[in-house]
Amino acid sequence: MADRMLEGRRIIVTGGASGMGEGLVRALPAMGARVVSLDLNADAGARVAGEAGARFLAVDVTDKASVDAATNQAVAALDGLDVLIHAAGIAPGAPAEIDPAGAMA
């Protein structure tokens, strides 16, 4: 039963409202994991988690008190923690490499 290979695993995913985090929040419950998604975007985060069968908590990962509170709530909801996937963040649009003259490589 490879599709349930994460059966019973308790997982927190930060950045669960979009991008890679959203993909994980959607995929992991189907593999048997119990998932709590954390994100700043409460509307999208709640929608994605609801559609995936996960739980959602709003958090600002730039604020330690917010992270501590959300982590404590998530661990309590999951009755423990096996995996933390930290996918929250933003990537500014810029070239990956620039040559010394300033032209794109």
Side-chain angles (χ1 to χ4, degrees), residues 22-30 33 35 45-55:
E22 176 183 354
L24 290 163
V25 169
R26 291 186 182 281
L28 295 171
V35 176
R47 178 183 47 77
V48 169
E51 291 170 0
R55 295 184 70 156

Side-chain angles (χ1 to χ4, degrees), residues 13-18 21-22 25-26 29 35-59:
V13 179
T14 68
S18 64
E22 176 183 354
V25 169
R26 291 186 182 281
V35 176
V36 175
S37 171
L38 307 179
D39 202 285
L40 185 61
N41 185 335
D43 291 337
R47 178 183 47 77
V48 169
E51 291 170 0
R55 295 184 70 156
F56 174 76
L57 295 170
V59 66

Side-chain angles (χ1 to χ4, degrees), residues 11-103:
I11 302 175
I12 294 173
V13 179
T14 68
S18 64
M20 181 177 67
E22 176 183 354
L24 290 163
V25 169
R26 291 186 182 281
L28 295 171
M31 298 172 74
R34 295 176 48 216
V35 176
V36 175
S37 171
L38 307 179
D39 202 285
L40 185 61
N41 185 335
D43 291 337
R47 178 183 47 77
V48 169
E51 291 170 0
R55 295 184 70 156
F56 174 76
L57 295 170
V59 66
D60 178 353
V61 297
T62 68
D63 180 320
K64 183 180 182 327
S66 178
V67 171
D68 289 346
T71 301
N72 289 337
Q73 288 177 327
V75 170
L78 294 169
D79 195 30
L81 180 64
D82 297 305
V83 178
L84 169 65
I85 301 171
H86 184 51
I90 57 170
E97 296 181 25
I98 298 177
D99 72 15

